[in-house]
Amino acid sequence: MIITNFSKQRNEFKESKVLKTKPHWQGQNLSDTAVKGKDTKMQDPAPDSLILNNLNRGRVAIFIDGLSLFHTALQLGIEIDYVKLLCHLTSGSRLLRAFFYTGVDISNEKQQGFLLWMRRNGYRVVAKELVVPSENFKKSNLNVEIAVDMITLSPYYDTAVLVSGDGDLAYAVNAVSRMGVRVEVVSLQTTTSESLIDVADCFIDLDSIKVHIQKDSNLGYSYRTASNSNL
């Protein structure tokens, strides 16, 4: 297991009166005091959950690159349990928002059912319609949406958890870090950009936490399609 963890001193957190209401599923309220500490960078042999539980992370915002996570799960040979994932990334802290960014095929009813399930289980889904470029395969990049949300919401959270290994997001991570936000990057180390790891306060290898976030083989999700669900 590889966990790189270091803290940066930040300004005192000042929370606006908006976005204060906490949905019932967000768990225990913790202090909104900012995370402070000495500048260190080291590999810690302790479990990542122990590291996060020993930190006062304040209010947490989670930003998940859905396509990146999907490909990582394929590489690890697991299926993600998104309820477990949300609980593990929050790790007992107070959750502000959990965003899930993904390309969407409007003709795919199974995907529509999955995204509806995500919305009803703690995630804010940010979807962009898939496009077919000249190579004749569908793709969608939501890095701009992730970067804009990270920056515009930064006054309202203390810790950002970014689930992506894309180096294009390093500038956005650096920008929110300069605002005093602690940034944790969660991704597969072998496919994560070094530039992204370098600007993060903490890096957690998804391979080291897969047992905590994978779906149990005897359980399944009950995804309902848009056609048989009442919105």
Side-chain angles (χ1 to χ4, degrees), residues 4-8 10 35 57 61 63 150 157-163 169-170 172-186 196-197 199-204:
T4 305
N5 183 47
F6 63 98
S7 299
K8 297 177 182 176
R10 55 158 297 175
V35 178
R57 301 161 79 208
F63 306 88
M150 287 184 70
Y157 63 83
D158 301 289
T159 299
V161 180
L162 174 62
V163 182
L169 291 167
V173 168
N174 204 32
V176 297
S177 294
R178 290 197 299 267
M179 297 175 189
V181 172
R182 170 185 169 83
V183 182
E184 301 166 4
V185 171
V186 182
L196 187 59
I197 295 175
V199 294
D201 295 285
C202 174
F203 174 74
I204 298 175

Side-chain angles (χ1 to χ4, degrees), residues 128-189:
K128 178 189 286 187
E129 188 172 352
L130 292 167
V131 296
V132 182
S134 57
E135 296 87 352
N136 201 31
F137 64 90
K138 294 182 178 182
K139 65 178 183 180
S140 184
N141 188 319
L142 285 94
N143 283 346
V144 171
E145 288 80 356
I146 295 173
V148 169
D149 287 345
M150 287 184 70
I151 293 170
T152 56
L153 284 173
S154 60
Y156 308 114
Y157 63 83
D158 301 289
T159 299
V161 180
L162 174 62
V163 182
S164 175
D166 197 329
D168 289 342
L169 291 167
Y171 191 84
V173 168
N174 204 32
V176 297
S177 294
R178 290 197 299 267
M179 297 175 189
V181 172
R182 170 185 169 83
V183 182
E184 301 166 4
V185 171
V186 182
S187 187
L188 191 62
Q189 190 191 24

Side-chain angles (χ1 to χ4, degrees), residues 79 84 214-220:
E79 191 171 356
K84 286 184 179 180
Q214 66 184 357
K215 189 194 297 186
D216 296 332
S217 58
N218 59 333
L219 296 177

